[in-house]
Amino acid sequence: MQSINRIRTIRNAVLIALATFGTAQAGTLTIESWRVDDKTLWETVLIPAFQKKNPGIEVKFSPTAPTEYDSSLTARLAGGTAGDLIACRPFDVSLSLYKKGNLEKLDGKPGMEHFPASAKTAWQTDDGKDTFCMPIASVMHGFLYNQKIFKELNLQPPKTEAEFFKVLDTVKSSGKYTPLALGTADQWESSQVVFTGIGPNYWKGEEGRKALIAGKEKFTDPNFVNAFEYEAKLGKYLSKGASSQTYGDSQNQFALGKAAIYPTGSWDIAYFNTNAKFEMGAFPPPVPKAGDKCYISDHNDIGMGVNKKSKNKEDAYKFLAWLGSQEFADIYTNKVTGFFSLSDHLISVKDPVAKQMIDWRKSCSSTIRLNAQILNRGEPSMENQLWNVNAQVLNGKLAPKEAAAQIQTGFAKWYKPQQ
């Protein structure tokens, strides 16, 4: 009897060991990301939703501060300590990781079929043959406005440039509010929010962007100069100390109800939902004149790739397939307010301001930030130049034609199609 019990004990121990071994084999999937703000969402909503469909797969969200992400990720990839899933920045940063052999090719993988060609552009080789990150979400550029101030001054969201300046003049002449909550101290908003937001209506979105890449148009052409001229006119509607006003100052100014309009990206909706005490609305960049086709900067912002050296690829691909699902698109769009799924799933957006913005896709053509693809690869850096030049245009320190000439000169120095 004792020997039978001993055999049973040994058998049970072996079964427990095998079960434990099986679980250990599944391993823990680690997600690398710069989106520190999303940590709670991943841990309490997204990962549990995935695990409900895929029990036994452990997932850990391990973000790094945005300013340190690129360098620390590169170091971890080189040292073989990076996570299994890599949050991908758009265009060149991730393309460089792929070219160095850090990311898997994802064409044909489950979930990828839910993304249109335009969504994949940010995570493909220049020839479009290899896709190395699954698209997750885009952000949009436009204007938020304080509905209370608009009602008080009897204003309507403007549709044309003339209507926009009329609104700005009305706010300015009231003497009670700053028309535009915008500063130039940090410079990036001048370029990535203002110029890249209002410009597509002038250079016709993708048409103008691709013409620059092909060398068929120059920054000194009227389409681009006109965008700088529009921007220059906005300068007189900023606060007196705009040149020393930071991004945080502008957020604060608008949140406190001291400014009527805030030029921004959709990523800021969540901040104001928490910090502003008034109802907001949103309007797209006004078109030059009534009847003109409208274009919006609908910028591919975040994707997800699989680390080529992951020891847990089978589970990584299961997770990726789930990222391509309706369930993920719905949760992400509605929980990370202002980040819009790039998939072809139909999503019901619950936040009223985010819904206003995503609905612009129905009437306007989408484009991406002007210099995001290919045009940032040379010296002088077009990104750095655009930050500096656009801040100077808003500050009234640089004329629109000079701004265009400065960008074009730097561009032509290294880009053969422009020489």
Side-chain angles (χ1 to χ4, degrees):
M1 189 72 182
Q2 279 182 336
S3 61
I4 291 169
N5 285 340
R6 193 177 296 119
I7 289 165
R8 280 179 181 159
T9 305
I10 292 166
R11 187 189 66 188
N12 289 342
V14 169
L15 288 171
I16 290 165
L18 285 171
T20 309
F21 179 71
T23 308
Q25 283 296 90
T28 298
L29 283 177
T30 302
I31 303 170
E32 300 270 7
S33 177
W34 69 88
R35 292 281 307 160
V36 178
D37 294 355
D38 298 348
K39 194 171 194 292
T40 304
L41 173 70
W42 278 98
E43 290 174 349
T44 61
V45 180
L46 291 168
I47 292 169
F50 165 75
Q51 288 173 326
K52 200 173 177 183
K53 302 265 170 71
N54 299 272
I57 301 177
E58 292 299 314
V59 186
K60 181 187 174 194
F61 185 72
S62 182
T64 307
T67 50
E68 297 159 23
Y69 180 67
D70 297 347
S71 55
S72 62
L73 174 64
T74 302
R76 283 196 293 279
L77 284 165
T81 59
D84 307 275
L85 292 149
I86 312 289
C88 301
R89 294 201 191 268
F91 298 102
D92 290 353
V93 176
S94 295
L95 178 61
S96 171
L97 293 179
Y98 179 68
K99 283 181 173 175
K100 287 174 186 168
N102 290 311
L103 297 172
E104 287 282 346
K105 184 174 186 280
L106 301 182
D107 300 271
K109 294 293 180 187
M112 291 298 289
E113 70 274 14
H114 294 298
F115 298 91
S118 58
K120 296 175 190 171
T121 313
W123 298 285
Q124 280 180 333
T125 47
D126 290 351
D127 59 12
K129 287 180 180 172
D130 295 3
T131 309
F132 43 82
C133 297
M134 175 179 278
I136 290 182
S138 71
V139 289
M140 285 187 197
H141 304 83
F143 297 89
L144 296 179
Y145 67 96
N146 183 319
Q147 289 197 23
K148 189 181 171 191
I149 294 174
F150 266 51
K151 196 172 180 183
E152 181 191 325
L153 300 177
N154 198 26
L155 299 169
Q156 294 297 322
K159 291 190 172 121
T160 65
E161 191 181 320
E163 288 173 4
F164 189 28
F165 286 114
K166 203 172 175 184
V167 166
L168 293 169
D169 285 329
T170 304
V171 177
K172 192 174 183 180
S173 60
S174 79
K176 294 169 73 175
Y177 312 102
T178 300
L180 291 172
L182 176 68
T184 58
D186 295 337
Q187 295 192 340
W188 68 267
E189 312 100 286
S190 311
S191 174
Q192 291 189 358
V193 172
V194 182
F195 186 68
T196 209
I198 63 176
N201 281 327
Y202 289 86
W203 58 71
K204 297 185 171 33
E206 286 294 273
E207 189 182 311
R209 186 182 75 81
K210 287 177 176 175
L212 281 177
I213 292 171
K216 291 175 182 173
E217 286 188 27
K218 293 178 162 58
F219 277 97
T220 46
D221 289 344
N223 289 348
F224 297 95
V225 175
N226 290 345
F228 281 118
E229 284 176 349
Y230 181 3
E231 182 177 52
K233 288 184 208 167
L234 296 175
K236 69 174 185 176
Y237 300 102
L238 313 187
S239 302
K240 279 180 184 171
S243 59
S244 57
Q245 184 171 318
T246 64
Y247 172 59
D249 294 335
S250 301
Q251 284 183 311
N252 202 34
Q253 184 183 34
F254 186 66
L256 291 172
K258 293 180 178 179
I261 297 168
Y262 180 67
T264 186
S266 53
W267 61 83
D268 264 328
I269 297 170
Y271 175 86
F272 293 118
N273 281 347
T274 306
N275 294 285
K277 299 285 190 286
F278 52 84
E279 297 252 328
M280 289 185 298
F283 60 87
V287 294
K289 55 186 188 301
D292 283 353
K293 184 172 168 53
C294 65
Y295 297 85
I296 49 166
S297 179
D298 185 359
H299 188 69
N300 299 357
D301 192 68
I302 184 169
M304 190 74 76
V306 174
N307 182 354
K308 210 161 192 176
K309 289 182 182 168
S310 165
K311 293 180 173 67
N312 204 1
K313 279 186 197 163
E314 193 181 331
D315 287 344
Y317 282 122
K318 283 180 188 171
F319 193 84
L320 207 68
W322 182 72
L323 290 185
S325 71
Q326 169 86 41
E327 182 182 27
F328 175 80
D330 200 34
I331 297 173
Y332 198 84
T333 300
N334 281 302
K335 295 288 185 182
V336 190
T337 307
F339 285 78
F340 305 111
S341 172
L342 283 162
S343 70
D344 59 9
H345 299 297
L346 287 174
I347 299 156
S348 174
V349 181
K350 296 178 178 73
D351 182 90
V353 180
K355 183 173 183 347
Q356 274 185 296
M357 288 185 112
I358 201 169
D359 281 350
W360 297 344
R361 286 178 178 170
K362 294 174 184 174
S363 51
C364 303
S365 290
S366 292
T367 182
I368 57 172
R369 286 182 192 152
L370 184 66
N371 58 312
Q373 186 186 32
I374 298 172
L375 307 187
N376 280 335
R377 294 178 187 171
E379 287 296 332
S381 159
M382 189 183 287
E383 183 71 10
N384 293 347
Q385 276 202 307
L386 282 169
W387 285 25
N388 178 271
V389 157
N390 283 292
Q392 288 193 63
V393 168
L394 278 167
N395 288 337
K397 303 287 187 191
L398 192 65
K401 281 185 178 174
E402 288 170 19
Q406 205 167 307
I407 298 293
Q408 182 59 33
T409 302
F411 187 24
K413 274 181 185 171
W414 65 269
Y415 193 63
K416 280 185 179 173
Q418 288 287 342
Q419 286 164 359

